[in-house]
Amino acid sequence: MCWKVAQSPQVTQLFAAPGNPGMAELAECIPWDGNVSQLAEWADREGIELTLVGPEAPLVEGIADAFEARGLKIFGPVQKAAMIEGSKAFAKDLMARFGIPTARHKTFSDVLDALSYLETTGAPIVVKDSGLAAGKGVTVATSLHQAKQAAANILSGPERAEIVIEEYLSGPEVTVLAVTDGITIVPLLPSQDHKRLLEGDTGPMTGGMGAICPYPLPPGVLTEIVERILKPLVEGLRAEGIVYRGVIYAGLMLTDEGPKVLEFNARFGDPECQAILPLLKTDLLELALAAVEGRLHEQRLEWHPLASACVVMAAPGYPDDPHKGLPLSLPPAPPERVLYFQAGTRRGPEGLLTHGGRVLSVVGLGEDLPGALERAYAGVAAVRFEHALYRRDIGRKVSLAKAASRGGETDQPKA
Ligand code: AMP
Ligand code: GLY
């Protein structure tokens, strides 16, 4: 987001809070511990004209409310609207009320109730932590034992917890992001994340290990997603007095019965954002301002006619216990059609060091998906980062399905 906003001719000064060494090349980084009212006070003092929010935690803390209370412009939903991400139980209730297609579910806060319910469902079944879990709170259980363990783990902790148990769905997954001002909905290009740590979609859930854009949705499906999912959400919230301004993230499963919602987030996805924004020609600052000022109907998006692929390089030990402080170095100039976006990094005396789970996103651009993947992996090869974890099969399912379709076997992506 910082990289894209920095390209806007309207920017006079750009700050990132707290930022990282990658953002420090584009913006002035200011220290920030996550306190939303402190940041609002700072922005007020500095006369910041527009703030864009990246992650979910400050949204769920009410950063948009704190800024709006001071008359400051902020691109991101208010706390009540951000609850579509902050509480899966809340999101599932909304979907039921607004008739949005999603997996059947039940919510539990009592462990014994949850365990006896699981006896009736059997496996496969999906157990989700209702609260924020950095994309790691979901267990797709293939056995009853695994489901019970996941439920017990979340519900027997010291804090008050809640889980959602939901029906197992199957099909290809796709992410559709949309910008909205609470009335107009502007969908971005569809993308696809890779949630599992290991190749072949195995291993533990992560925040996301790579993404491709655009994901080739079958004809008519994007319109169906807007009409049956995004519109009912935005209009339903508005009818309840909640105006959603910002980005809506719909994580979807393309089931035999049509697209169904796996989750909503209140922000750009990570790593979907890194794959989508390099394809966007339109000025992101202009788009965000139009959303904040309620004039999104004036906006038409323009896209570069390219494909992109993002490969995430994570620290060894991710997602449970990532190693911090490992050296990493990027080539002085990125290879052609490669972009590096830093995530969990910090600058040490000798150079860059790992400082979190997902360390770096490497994005490749190409005329088509195979070309984009070739550039992304050339970008990965040019990074020095020993023992980095990354998947070598990002985008492979879609590339193979497309290759097969050119042979005339299918005209739909298979996954
Ligand atoms: P979520 O954070 O809710 O999107 O879940 C993380 C991942 O778990 C998704 O990207 C899916 O791969 C998987 N998942 C979530 N819900 C279901 C479901 N009902 N059926 C099958 N897989 C699911
Ligand atoms: N890539 C999934 C997420 O941002 O939640």
Side-chain angles (χ1 to χ4, degrees):
M1 286 170 73
C2 187
W3 169 84
K4 179 71 183 155
V5 167
Q7 295 165 17
S8 170
Q10 295 194 56
V11 171
T12 49
Q13 224 184 339
L14 187 60
F15 297 90
N20 68 14
M23 291 183 225
E25 293 169 14
L26 305 162
E28 184 178 330
C29 293
I30 56 160
W32 183 42
D33 65 1
N35 181 313
V36 300
S37 39
Q38 261 172 19
L39 195 67
E41 194 188 309
W42 174 86
D44 208 356
R45 224 177 28 242
E46 292 287 328
I48 301 296
E49 286 170 288
L50 177 66
T51 302
L52 291 90
V53 189
E56 62 278 20
L59 291 167
V60 172
E61 285 281 311
I63 193 168
D65 309 69
F67 274 62
E68 285 175 9
R70 291 173 177 269
L72 295 168
K73 289 181 185 168
I74 185 159
F75 180 66
V78 293
Q79 186 173 44
K80 275 187 178 162
M83 288 309 282
I84 62 165
E85 172 162 10
S87 163
K88 286 192 190 278
F90 171 84
K92 294 294 286 192
D93 284 349
L94 279 185
M95 287 187 257
R97 281 210 299 288
F98 306 158
I100 296 173
T102 184
R104 282 190 299 274
H105 82 290
K106 272 192 183 334
T107 300
F108 295 91
S109 47
D110 181 85
V111 66
L112 293 179
D113 289 351
L115 297 183
S116 54
Y117 176 68
L118 285 170
E119 287 288 345
T120 69
T121 66
I125 188 88
V126 181
V127 177
K128 300 184 173 185
D129 189 336
S130 180
L132 292 182
K136 292 163 245 173
V138 173
T139 302
V140 180
T142 47
S143 70
L144 185 57
H145 174 71
Q146 193 191 3
K148 285 183 165 178
Q149 219 167 28
N153 274 346
I154 303 168
L155 292 179
S156 357
E159 280 162 36
R160 244 191 84 232
E162 194 174 42
I163 58 171
V164 166
I165 297 178
E166 70 177 32
E167 169 197 16
Y168 172 82
L169 301 176
S170 63
E173 278 187 61
V174 57
T175 301
V176 174
L177 304 182
V179 175
T180 180
D181 57 7
I183 296 186
T184 305
I185 297 167
V186 178
L188 307 185
L189 287 179
S191 58
Q192 187 175 52
D193 190 8
H194 295 64
K195 301 285 292 181
R196 300 278 187 164
L197 182 69
L198 304 175
E199 281 151 33
D201 295 325
T202 58
M205 284 292 175
T206 69
M209 294 300 291
I212 56 162
C213 182
Y215 178 84
L217 279 179
V221 173
L222 187 60
T223 308
E224 188 184 352
I225 291 166
V226 172
E227 293 299 321
R228 296 189 53 212
I229 293 171
L230 297 172
K231 262 197 196 165
L233 177 69
V234 170
E235 285 171 9
L237 285 170
R238 205 172 67 232
E240 297 189 359
I242 303 171
V243 180
Y244 195 111
R245 278 190 218 94
V247 178
I248 296 176
Y249 171 120
L252 307 158
M253 190 83 92
L254 304 178
T255 74
D256 292 342
E257 297 168 357
K260 292 192 181 182
V261 177
L262 298 175
E263 66 165 343
F264 284 125
N265 293 326
R267 52 175 171 83
F268 281 109
D270 174 2
E272 289 95 330
C273 184
Q274 295 91 305
I276 295 169
L277 289 187
L279 300 181
L280 182 66
K281 243 191 226 173
T282 306
D283 183 340
L284 178 62
L285 191 71
E286 186 51 52
L287 181 65
L289 257 184
V292 172
E293 293 172 354
R295 41 177 191 81
L296 206 52
H297 58 277
E298 294 170 3
Q299 283 278 324
R300 287 285 166 277
L301 295 191
E302 284 190 83
W303 298 94
H304 297 289
L306 297 173
S308 75
C310 171
V311 178
V312 170
M313 300 181 81
Y318 179 72
D320 293 331
D321 187 17
H323 283 245
K324 290 190 177 173
L326 300 176
L328 133 107
S329 83
L330 305 181
E336 200 186 336
R337 287 194 161 184
V338 171
L339 295 160
Y340 293 114
F341 295 117
Q342 295 177 39
T345 61
R346 73 178 175 86
R347 196 164 285 287
E350 314 266 300
L352 284 179
L353 299 172
T354 64
H355 195 56
R358 290 183 294 167
V359 172
L360 185 71
S361 294
V362 185
V363 175
L365 300 172
E367 301 301 325
D368 54 14
L369 179 60
L373 287 166
E374 190 272 315
R375 294 322 301 153
Y377 284 107
V380 168
V383 174
R384 290 222 333 264
F385 176 6
E386 264 183 66
H387 308 299
L389 291 181
Y390 66 92
R391 283 179 56 166
R392 290 159 185 80
D393 67 343
I394 300 303
R396 189 174 293 163
K397 276 185 191 163
V398 172
S399 307
L400 290 177
K402 284 205 115 179
S405 76
R406 276 198 290 276
E409 286 166 36
T410 166
D411 59 359
Q412 306 293 331
K414 269 199 223 128

